[in-house]
Amino acid sequence: MISRETEAGLDAFLALLLKWNARINLVAERDAATLRARHIADSLQLLPLLPPGGGPAADLGTGGGFPGLVLAIADRSRPWHLVESDRRKAAFLLAASAELGLSHVRVHAERIEAVQLLPLALVSARALAPLSVLLGHAARLLAPGGVAIFPKGRNAEAELTAAEAGWTMTAERFESRTEPGATILRISGICRAGT
């Protein structure tokens, strides 16, 4: 259950997204009902998996705000860093953060490989890259004890198996509530194999 304040923030975000989507392609869907079910609900299901304590978080390849901006609307207890190299999408994220009063959000309009952030408690990414690539980003950005949350499709187990060739980690699996057969991976203890 989300608060009335969060619901109002998500409604305002959705209105902004639809307005901007007419000018730049942020998401393929064009109607509010589909966006709420497909993207917002998909992002919100990550909330219970966030680490406690309010430590800083980064969403990599945020795009139109999923899951990073949605989570920042729902979780105002921590600083959120949204990393998006597409300047038009980063401009949308900046405008949306300002208009929604999200002073705890910082937008980084640069490539993930170049971004410099303090050690983070949480890294997330949705529909961005294979797990082995995401683990490299997470290992560089996470503080000791930090957690990575990566929603993955039906190939989550195959991606985990492939990643284990180069990485050691503890992976928890959670069934997606919005996409049958999909898995959310919550990964900790990430380090390169042999180190």
Side-chain angles (χ1 to χ4, degrees):
M1 222 31 215
I2 58 174
S3 71
R4 253 187 241 137
E5 177 189 21
T6 296
E7 192 66 47
L10 291 171
D11 288 343
F13 164 65
L14 190 55
L16 281 170
L17 181 72
L18 289 169
K19 179 180 167 186
W20 278 68
N21 204 46
R23 289 182 287 157
I24 63 172
N25 186 31
L26 295 167
V27 290
E29 290 84 0
R30 302 288 187 233
D31 68 277
T34 303
L35 285 168
R36 188 169 289 281
R38 172 77 179 105
H39 295 291
I40 291 179
D42 196 51
S43 298
L44 286 175
Q45 72 176 330
L46 305 182
L47 269 177
L49 304 179
L50 302 184
D59 184 46
L60 309 179
T62 303
F66 307 105
L69 198 57
V70 171
L71 292 173
I73 291 167
D75 175 20
R76 296 172 184 249
S77 69
R78 70 183 76 237
W80 281 91
H81 299 273
L82 308 181
V83 182
E84 176 53 56
S85 64
D86 182 312
R87 300 255 180 225
R88 297 167 310 141
K89 291 177 181 177
F92 164 72
L93 296 170
L94 278 167
S97 298
E99 194 160 326
L100 298 172
L102 303 176
S103 59
H104 63 297
V105 171
R106 298 286 175 266
V107 176
H108 304 269
E110 57 189 301
R111 294 188 54 78
I112 297 164
E113 298 83 359
V115 72
Q116 296 295 315
L117 299 170
L118 294 174
L120 303 166
L122 167 68
V123 168
S124 65
R126 177 178 175 250
L128 179 66
L131 183 59
S132 55
V133 173
L134 294 175
L135 291 171
H137 297 316
R140 181 176 74 83
L141 296 169
L142 285 174
V147 172
I149 299 177
F150 301 134
K152 286 292 182 181
R154 299 172 192 272
N155 294 326
E157 287 303 319
E159 286 196 46
L160 268 172
T161 300
E164 286 170 349
W167 296 93
T168 61
M169 70 198 102
T170 300
E172 299 171 87
R173 297 156 180 85
F174 300 89
E175 186 177 329
S176 172
R177 296 190 309 254
T178 59
E179 187 177 333
T183 301
I184 300 164
L185 299 176
R186 187 176 192 269
I187 302 174
S188 57
I190 301 167
C191 63
R192 289 202 181 273
T195 59

mmCIF file of all heavy atoms in Angstrom, residues 62-79:
data_model
loop_
_atom_site.group_PDB
_atom_site.id
_atom_site.type_symbol
_atom_site.label_atom_id
_atom_site.label_comp_id
_atom_site.label_asym_id
_atom_site.label_seq_id
_atom_site.Cartn_x
_atom_site.Cartn_y
_atom_site.Cartn_z
ATOM 1 N N THR A 62 18.260 5.153 -16.372
ATOM 2 C CA THR A 62 16.898 5.425 -15.894
ATOM 3 C C THR A 62 15.888 5.639 -17.009
ATOM 4 O O THR A 62 14.710 5.331 -16.853
ATOM 5 C CB THR A 62 16.904 6.654 -14.953
ATOM 6 O OG1 THR A 62 17.807 6.404 -13.890
ATOM 7 C CG2 THR A 62 15.528 6.922 -14.388
ATOM 8 N N GLY A 63 16.318 6.156 -18.156
ATOM 9 C CA GLY A 63 15.392 6.354 -19.271
ATOM 10 C C GLY A 63 14.277 7.311 -18.912
ATOM 11 O O GLY A 63 14.503 8.432 -18.491
ATOM 12 N N GLY A 64 13.029 6.848 -19.021
ATOM 13 C CA GLY A 64 11.866 7.666 -18.710
ATOM 14 C C GLY A 64 11.527 7.726 -17.235
ATOM 15 O O GLY A 64 10.492 8.270 -16.860
ATOM 16 N N GLY A 65 12.391 7.147 -16.386
ATOM 17 C CA GLY A 65 12.167 7.226 -14.938
ATOM 18 C C GLY A 65 11.897 5.905 -14.260
ATOM 19 O O GLY A 65 11.498 5.869 -13.097
ATOM 20 N N PHE A 66 12.150 4.801 -14.969
ATOM 21 C CA PHE A 66 11.827 3.478 -14.433
ATOM 22 C C PHE A 66 13.066 2.638 -14.191
ATOM 23 O O PHE A 66 13.852 2.467 -15.119
ATOM 24 C CB PHE A 66 10.898 2.752 -15.416
ATOM 25 C CG PHE A 66 9.686 3.568 -15.763
ATOM 26 C CD1 PHE A 66 9.585 4.185 -16.997
ATOM 27 C CD2 PHE A 66 8.669 3.736 -14.853
ATOM 28 C CE1 PHE A 66 8.483 4.942 -17.323
ATOM 29 C CE2 PHE A 66 7.555 4.500 -15.170
ATOM 30 C CZ PHE A 66 7.468 5.107 -16.404
ATOM 31 N N PRO A 67 13.275 2.131 -13.011
ATOM 32 C CA PRO A 67 12.432 2.329 -11.842
ATOM 33 C C PRO A 67 12.820 3.540 -10.991
ATOM 34 O O PRO A 67 12.123 3.897 -10.055
ATOM 35 C CB PRO A 67 12.635 1.050 -11.037
ATOM 36 C CG PRO A 67 14.065 0.681 -11.295
ATOM 37 C CD PRO A 67 14.309 1.099 -12.745
ATOM 38 N N GLY A 68 13.944 4.203 -11.296
ATOM 39 C CA GLY A 68 14.537 5.183 -10.388
ATOM 40 C C GLY A 68 13.650 6.322 -9.946
ATOM 41 O O GLY A 68 13.542 6.602 -8.743
ATOM 42 N N LEU A 69 13.000 7.009 -10.872
ATOM 43 C CA LEU A 69 12.189 8.163 -10.477
ATOM 44 C C LEU A 69 10.937 7.713 -9.730
ATOM 45 O O LEU A 69 10.519 8.354 -8.758
ATOM 46 C CB LEU A 69 11.831 9.016 -11.692
ATOM 47 C CG LEU A 69 11.372 10.438 -11.372
ATOM 48 C CD1 LEU A 69 12.411 11.205 -10.566
ATOM 49 C CD2 LEU A 69 11.070 11.196 -12.641
ATOM 50 N N VAL A 70 10.350 6.603 -10.143
ATOM 51 C CA VAL A 70 9.186 6.061 -9.427
ATOM 52 C C VAL A 70 9.575 5.717 -7.993
ATOM 53 O O VAL A 70 8.866 6.065 -7.040
ATOM 54 C CB VAL A 70 8.619 4.828 -10.159
ATOM 55 C CG1 VAL A 70 7.553 4.129 -9.322
ATOM 56 C CG2 VAL A 70 8.060 5.231 -11.514
ATOM 57 N N LEU A 71 10.717 5.058 -7.814
ATOM 58 C CA LEU A 71 11.163 4.705 -6.464
ATOM 59 C C LEU A 71 11.486 5.948 -5.644
ATOM 60 O O LEU A 71 11.204 5.996 -4.440
ATOM 61 C CB LEU A 71 12.376 3.774 -6.539
ATOM 62 C CG LEU A 71 12.087 2.374 -7.091
ATOM 63 C CD1 LEU A 71 13.376 1.594 -7.281
ATOM 64 C CD2 LEU A 71 11.119 1.618 -6.193
ATOM 65 N N ALA A 72 12.046 6.969 -6.279
ATOM 66 C CA ALA A 72 12.361 8.214 -5.565
ATOM 67 C C ALA A 72 11.090 8.930 -5.109
ATOM 68 O O ALA A 72 11.087 9.587 -4.061
ATOM 69 C CB ALA A 72 13.201 9.127 -6.446
ATOM 70 N N ILE A 73 10.016 8.816 -5.873
ATOM 71 C CA ILE A 73 8.734 9.396 -5.462
ATOM 72 C C ILE A 73 8.196 8.650 -4.239
ATOM 73 O O ILE A 73 7.673 9.257 -3.307
ATOM 74 C CB ILE A 73 7.718 9.344 -6.629
ATOM 75 C CG1 ILE A 73 8.142 10.312 -7.739
ATOM 76 C CG2 ILE A 73 6.301 9.659 -6.145
ATOM 77 C CD1 ILE A 73 7.396 10.133 -9.051
ATOM 78 N N ALA A 74 8.352 7.338 -4.236
ATOM 79 C CA ALA A 74 7.819 6.502 -3.158
ATOM 80 C C ALA A 74 8.742 6.427 -1.939
ATOM 81 O O ALA A 74 8.279 6.195 -0.825
ATOM 82 C CB ALA A 74 7.549 5.094 -3.684
ATOM 83 N N ASP A 75 10.042 6.618 -2.134
ATOM 84 C CA ASP A 75 11.033 6.481 -1.060
ATOM 85 C C ASP A 75 11.845 7.774 -0.964
ATOM 86 O O ASP A 75 12.848 7.934 -1.649
ATOM 87 C CB ASP A 75 11.947 5.286 -1.326
ATOM 88 C CG ASP A 75 13.083 5.165 -0.316
ATOM 89 O OD1 ASP A 75 12.973 5.747 0.787
ATOM 90 O OD2 ASP A 75 14.076 4.491 -0.638
ATOM 91 N N ARG A 76 11.391 8.678 -0.115
ATOM 92 C CA ARG A 76 12.067 9.971 0.048
ATOM 93 C C ARG A 76 13.067 9.939 1.200
ATOM 94 O O ARG A 76 13.571 10.974 1.603
ATOM 95 C CB ARG A 76 11.034 11.071 0.249
ATOM 96 C CG ARG A 76 10.141 11.251 -0.976
ATOM 97 C CD ARG A 76 8.996 12.202 -0.721
ATOM 98 N NE ARG A 76 8.115 12.265 -1.873
ATOM 99 C CZ ARG A 76 7.987 13.318 -2.660
ATOM 100 N NH1 ARG A 76 8.666 14.409 -2.411
ATOM 101 N NH2 ARG A 76 7.174 13.284 -3.684
ATOM 102 N N SER A 77 13.355 8.752 1.709
ATOM 103 C CA SER A 77 14.249 8.632 2.865
ATOM 104 C C SER A 77 15.721 8.596 2.487
ATOM 105 O O SER A 77 16.580 8.666 3.354
ATOM 106 C CB SER A 77 13.925 7.352 3.637
ATOM 107 O OG SER A 77 14.293 6.200 2.880
ATOM 108 N N ARG A 78 16.021 8.517 1.201
ATOM 109 C CA ARG A 78 17.417 8.367 0.785
ATOM 110 C C ARG A 78 17.682 9.254 -0.423
ATOM 111 O O ARG A 78 16.782 9.547 -1.203
ATOM 112 C CB ARG A 78 17.732 6.910 0.455
ATOM 113 C CG ARG A 78 17.066 6.393 -0.799
ATOM 114 C CD ARG A 78 17.344 4.909 -1.080
ATOM 115 N NE ARG A 78 16.570 4.049 -0.216
ATOM 116 C CZ ARG A 78 17.118 3.128 0.582
ATOM 117 N NH1 ARG A 78 18.414 2.912 0.606
ATOM 118 N NH2 ARG A 78 16.355 2.380 1.356
ATOM 119 N N PRO A 79 18.953 9.646 -0.625
ATOM 120 C CA PRO A 79 19.313 10.340 -1.868
ATOM 121 C C PRO A 79 19.245 9.357 -3.040
ATOM 122 O O PRO A 79 19.687 8.216 -2.918
ATOM 123 C CB PRO A 79 20.755 10.790 -1.638
ATOM 124 C CG PRO A 79 21.058 10.539 -0.207
ATOM 125 C CD PRO A 79 20.082 9.547 0.302
#
